[in-house]
Amino acid sequence: MSAPKTMLQLTGRGYSPASLAHATLLVIDVQEEYRSGVLSLPGLDAAVAEIASLLAAARGIGSAVVHVKHLGVPGGLLDPQGERGQHLPEVAPLEREIVVEKRLPNAFAGTELHDRLQAIGNLDLIVCGFMTHSSVSTTVRAAKDYGYRCTLVDAACATRDLPTLDGGVISAADMHRIEVIALADNFACVVPNARALS
């Protein structure tokens, strides 16, 4: 029996990783909730370091950067009026960078993200942020519907432990790995870390 192949391989629609010089860096929901709130992520520090590397590289060559910020529930998760809804300071947007606010996991739903990306003019997106299984996944999947090519940076994303239907727990590491594998099947080119991008 032959080794399994991804849908991208089987259909001949796979593509090489994007270059930072010719892509838009899309940073999704890198907010305080994921550090100190109830949604704190086990792999956050390592992922933030990777995101910081991506931002430094993109800014160093003048590439477009778009930040997505989730507007949560006042007084609750990702509180838009409180500290937990704020961008993490070490990877916060610069004044000239675009910030798109969303209320649903999919950053295209009910926002100006598509219009903003069209104005920039890059079909290639380099994607990072939180959480892998939720906002990152839904946004990457939706991006394909809009005709974008996503390059997902594995080490620059993270998620959390989740309960299973049988009363167990799937670890954040396993949940992240499974979601990245699923996205690599038909929705994104996946690279291991920031160093893998030219």
Side-chain angles (χ1 to χ4, degrees):
M1 187 171 174
S2 60
K5 294 183 178 181
T6 67
M7 285 290 291
L8 290 174
Q9 291 170 328
L10 291 168
T11 59
R13 294 179 180 169
Y15 46 89
S16 300
S19 163
L20 268 171
H22 301 101
T24 298
L25 178 61
L26 186 62
V27 184
I28 299 174
D29 296 357
V30 185
Q31 294 166 255
E32 183 62 36
E33 182 71 52
Y34 296 116
R35 172 174 281 157
S36 61
V38 297
L39 296 179
S40 61
L41 307 180
L44 179 127
D45 289 340
V48 168
E50 286 290 325
I51 294 167
S53 293
L54 288 168
L55 281 168
R59 290 165 175 168
I61 59 175
S63 295
V65 178
V66 176
H67 300 258
V68 175
K69 180 181 183 182
H70 193 88
L71 301 178
V73 180
L77 298 177
L78 293 154
D79 182 354
Q81 299 162 355
E83 182 181 356
R84 290 189 297 171
Q86 301 309 305
H87 295 280
L88 293 178
E90 61 267 47
V91 288
L94 299 180
E95 186 174 338
R96 59 184 163 80
E97 292 171 350
I98 296 167
V99 177
V100 173
E101 296 180 335
K102 68 179 178 67
R103 295 188 180 277
L104 295 169
N106 171 10
F108 290 96
T111 74
E112 72 277 15
L113 178 59
H114 179 55
D115 291 338
R116 292 290 202 140
L117 293 174
Q118 289 290 292
I120 293 167
N122 294 326
L123 286 180
D124 285 302
L125 307 178
I126 295 172
V127 182
C128 60
F130 309 136
M131 294 181 286
T132 316
H133 80 280
S134 185
S135 291
V136 171
S137 176
T138 55
T139 300
V140 167
R141 290 167 187 263
K144 182 170 182 171
D145 295 341
Y146 284 93
Y148 297 102
R149 293 181 299 264
C150 288
T151 296
L152 182 67
V153 184
D154 184 12
C157 301
T159 194
R160 70 187 204 280
D161 298 345
L162 292 174
T164 62
L165 296 179
D166 61 0
V169 174
I170 183 168
S171 72
D174 286 344
M175 189 68 241
H176 170 83
R177 179 173 177 269
I178 290 166
E179 191 59 52
V180 169
I181 290 168
L183 291 174
D185 181 48
N186 201 24
F187 300 96
C189 173
V190 177
V191 297
N193 50 43
R195 294 188 307 276
L197 295 172
S198 56

